Amino acid sequence: MSKEIREKTVKELAEDLKNKRLTAEEITQAYIDAIEAQDGTLNAYLTKTTEDALKKAREFDQQDKVPDNILEAIPYALKDNIVTENIRTTAASKILENFIPPYNATVYEKLDNQGGILLGKLNMDEFAMGSSTENSAFENTKNPWDITRVPGGSSGGSAVAVASGMAPFALGSDTGGSIRQPAAYTGLVGVKPTYGLVSRYGLIAFASSLDQIGTFTHTVEDAAIVLDAIAGHDKKDSTSFNAPKKDYSAKLNESLEGVKIAVSKDFLGEGLQREIRDSYEEALKIYQDLGAEIVEVDFSLLDSALAAYYMIASAEASSNLARYDGVRYGVRADDYNGLVDMYVKTRTAGFGDEVKRRIMLGTYALSSGYYDAYYKKAMQVRTLVIDEYNKIFDQADVLLTPTTATTAFKFGERLDNPLDMYLSDLYTIPANIGGLPALSMPGGFDDNGLPIGLQLTGPALSEPELFKIANAYQKVTGYENQRAKSV
Ligand code: GLN
């Protein structure tokens, strides 16, 4: 039986379009149908642009041409912290509930210029703070593998849109794991590129030294295709690399002979779910069979990286979120008595609990008298984490770890205890601290049938090697071919 349209990969859709087996309208309509059938239950989308999407698809078909590039006429969706001109962008916050951006994020501009078809904007934790998407001011996004469970976060909407066939690919942002962790929970490939590889212009800032835009796809091959479309220097983002782009698909099918894979017991401690450990060990065997060499390394700073992250991320967030003052953006409180009262009432009503917690923590850590003890200390730890990575990559090409210690948890399970929630990102945070590329790939299923994720981290700008190593595993296991049942 042939695959349904919405089960196809980006690569397959592009080939069907090119060979005229499918029209752009048929493809776009299939995703719109999937959204109509499922999103009432799953709540991945905050804003749909499906009418414009159909229009753009029909325009493409009328031209009766071969696509100019691989993403032309392919639908996709964006996390709702990526600004889109004239399309509501909320960062899942009340304070931006009716915000219509006057400009485009560079990544959107690039996809749009390449002919991609935007289906809509996706739910997330408010301002990308969280690990379950439960911090959205608007709705709970459900995991299509088990709707009593969270999809992970903060890019939960992006993960669910792709995992449930409501978009063939999506973009998200990853400050401490927000692409890789939800990708792991929903059985997808999630890529956080090297810091600076993809422009952050038009990404609503959370923690600017950690934030990075990346991809959600079913396959590694698709991740390489989408990264190719969004990476590259942008003069509008001063932290963007000014170096020629690599060919991200170039090494996909190269042999793993001689590749060195680092493993560390520090990621296999208490709290790691049994099935995830099993799948990790199975992966090591697969890699050895493929000709890779396993190298044992230390990652002694895992816990310290988590602590440093919550200092640095909160400090930067407190500064970035100062701009929501009821004057320049979004919502303003109705009744107030003078300027200060207006600020207080606007921010009290506009921000959710987690965002307030971060602003308080960050402001405290940056205040005089505490700066040296907290923020400066955290920055010193950051340097040590980078040193630790450098040592690892002197001995090995990549580091293989689980993406998360558990599979998707139930709604409410970690909401009352912020520290539990913060621990959800223990394994993903260090890559952001180091600015390194990391991806999560489907690594099988637990006893409840929930997806498991395995993570590969590499040195800066090693995306082609990461894709090669991940793709080799996909070709052996085929886990990426399993789809969540429709709801
Ligand atoms: N869960 C982490 C946090 O809450 C990471 C979020 C993210 O990567 N955006 O900060």
Side-chain angles (χ1 to χ4, degrees):
M1 210 182 75
S2 74
K3 260 191 192 174
E4 275 188 55
I5 293 176
R6 65 194 190 84
E7 294 185 342
K8 294 192 183 211
T9 63
V10 171
K11 179 87 186 292
E12 288 165 343
L13 292 170
E15 270 163 15
D16 286 345
L17 256 181
K18 191 162 131 199
N19 300 320
K20 304 212 178 290
R21 285 191 292 265
L22 289 172
T23 64
E25 183 172 350
E26 283 168 325
I27 294 175
T28 301
Q29 189 63 54
Y31 287 96
I32 295 174
D33 290 347
I35 293 169
E36 278 169 8
Q38 300 183 101
D39 205 44
T41 306
L42 296 176
N43 297 327
Y45 282 84
L46 288 175
T47 302
K48 294 174 199 128
T49 54
T50 47
E51 251 172 57
D52 284 342
L54 261 186
K55 209 166 119 217
K56 198 167 174 188
R58 287 187 187 127
E59 278 164 15
F60 171 85
D61 289 336
Q62 270 156 16
Q63 293 173 56
D64 195 27
K65 62 162 193 175
V66 175
D68 296 330
N69 68 70
I70 193 155
L71 291 184
E72 184 165 14
I74 302 290
Y76 69 96
L78 295 173
K79 185 174 181 177
D80 208 23
N81 58 355
I82 296 173
V83 303
T84 43
E85 189 176 349
N86 295 328
I87 301 169
R88 187 174 84 119
T89 301
T90 67
S93 180
K94 279 215 183 90
I95 214 157
L96 289 176
E97 187 161 8
N98 304 310
F99 177 55
I100 309 285
Y103 70 106
N104 283 328
T106 296
V107 288
Y108 174 54
E109 193 107 328
K110 284 192 173 211
L111 292 175
D112 203 51
N113 288 342
Q114 290 169 60
I117 296 182
L118 182 71
L119 293 167
K121 306 294 296 289
L122 300 162
N123 198 23
M124 53 186 280
D125 284 300
E126 184 177 3
F127 286 106
M129 298 173 189
S131 311
S132 67
T133 312
E134 290 167 291
N135 294 336
S136 166
F138 304 120
E139 56 192 25
N140 270 347
T141 299
K142 302 199 174 120
N143 191 321
W145 294 90
D146 174 352
I147 60 171
T148 67
R149 291 174 193 269
V150 303
S154 65
S155 316
S158 303
V160 171
V162 179
S164 63
M166 299 196 290
F169 77 91
L171 299 188
S173 65
D174 190 313
T175 305
S178 283
I179 292 176
R180 289 158 288 152
Q181 186 255 25
Y185 284 3
T186 57
L188 297 175
V189 175
V191 180
K192 181 204 97 69
T194 306
Y195 183 78
L197 184 62
V198 176
S199 169
R200 289 182 297 111
Y201 181 74
L203 172 68
I204 294 177
F206 163 12
S208 310
S209 78
L210 302 158
D211 295 342
Q212 186 56 202
I213 293 176
T215 61
F216 286 89
T217 58
H218 287 287
T219 63
V220 175
E221 194 175 35
D222 280 3
I225 290 170
V226 179
L227 185 60
D228 191 57
I230 60 171
H233 179 60
D234 180 9
K235 59 180 187 324
K236 293 182 195 148
D237 173 358
S238 61
T239 60
S240 122
F241 272 123
N242 197 352
K245 217 168 61 169
K246 295 189 179 174
D247 176 350
Y248 299 105
S249 306
K251 299 191 171 176
L252 274 180
N253 295 309
E254 282 183 8
S255 141
L256 296 197
E257 214 62 55
V259 165
K260 291 195 177 126
I261 298 181
V263 299
S264 169
K265 287 202 179 55
D266 297 304
F267 285 85
L268 307 175
E270 228 179 295
L272 180 64
Q273 196 177 316
R274 174 183 47 81
E275 300 100 310
I276 298 181
R277 176 187 277 269
D278 292 347
S279 125
Y280 179 74
E281 272 156 16
E282 183 205 29
L284 295 187
K285 285 204 202 87
I286 291 173
Y287 277 125
Q288 279 168 316
D289 289 346
L290 289 169
E293 188 188 322
I294 306 295
V295 185
E296 300 250 1
V297 299
D298 287 329
F299 204 94
S300 60
L301 291 174
L302 189 59
D303 293 339
S304 313
L306 183 78
Y309 168 84
Y310 277 96
M311 275 298 127
I312 296 167
S314 302
E316 292 183 15
S318 72
S319 158
N320 272 326
L321 271 58
R323 74 191 68 180
Y324 304 100
D325 56 5
V327 178
R328 286 169 292 183
Y329 303 90
V331 172
R332 180 187 299 186
D334 292 333
D335 288 320
Y336 50 86
N337 191 358
L339 183 65
V340 173
D341 192 45
M342 189 277 283
Y343 289 155
V344 171
K345 289 200 170 121
T346 296
R347 288 166 67 86
T348 303
F351 291 137
D353 288 350
E354 184 59 32
V355 174
K356 287 178 188 150
R357 186 177 297 127
R358 307 281 178 115
I359 292 173
M360 286 192 287
L361 205 67
T363 306
Y364 182 81
L366 289 177
S367 56
S368 84
Y370 295 103
Y371 180 91
D372 284 350
Y374 295 107
Y375 186 72
K376 196 169 153 208
K377 217 4 145 252
M379 292 304 280
Q380 288 165 338
V381 172
R382 185 171 198 171
T383 303
L384 294 176
V385 172
I386 294 169
D387 288 347
E388 186 143 60
Y389 271 124
N390 286 340
K391 267 188 232 134
I392 292 172
F393 295 127
D394 281 345
Q395 305 167 61
D397 299 293
V398 288
L399 171 66
L400 175 68
T401 66
T403 310
T404 56
T406 71
T407 53
F409 50 93
K410 298 234 177 194
F411 285 99
E413 213 175 290
R414 298 187 189 170
L415 210 50
D416 296 337
N417 186 345
L419 290 180
D420 274 358
M421 193 67 93
Y422 295 174
L423 273 167
S424 309
D425 298 306
L426 182 64
Y427 298 160
T428 50
I429 276 171
N432 300 75
I433 295 280
L436 303 179
L439 66 79
S440 180
M441 57 185 181
F445 297 87
D446 74 2
D447 294 348
N448 292 318
L450 298 169
I452 287 171
L454 297 178
Q455 175 176 242
L456 289 165
T457 307
L461 300 176
S462 66
E463 281 84 357
E465 288 75 24
L466 284 185
F467 290 153
K468 162 175 107 174
I469 296 167
N471 196 44
Y473 174 84
Q474 288 213 317
K475 282 197 284 191
V476 174
T477 60
Y479 291 134
E480 76 282 6
N481 294 321
Q482 306 210 29
R483 296 285 190 271
K485 285 200 296 288
S486 318
V487 295

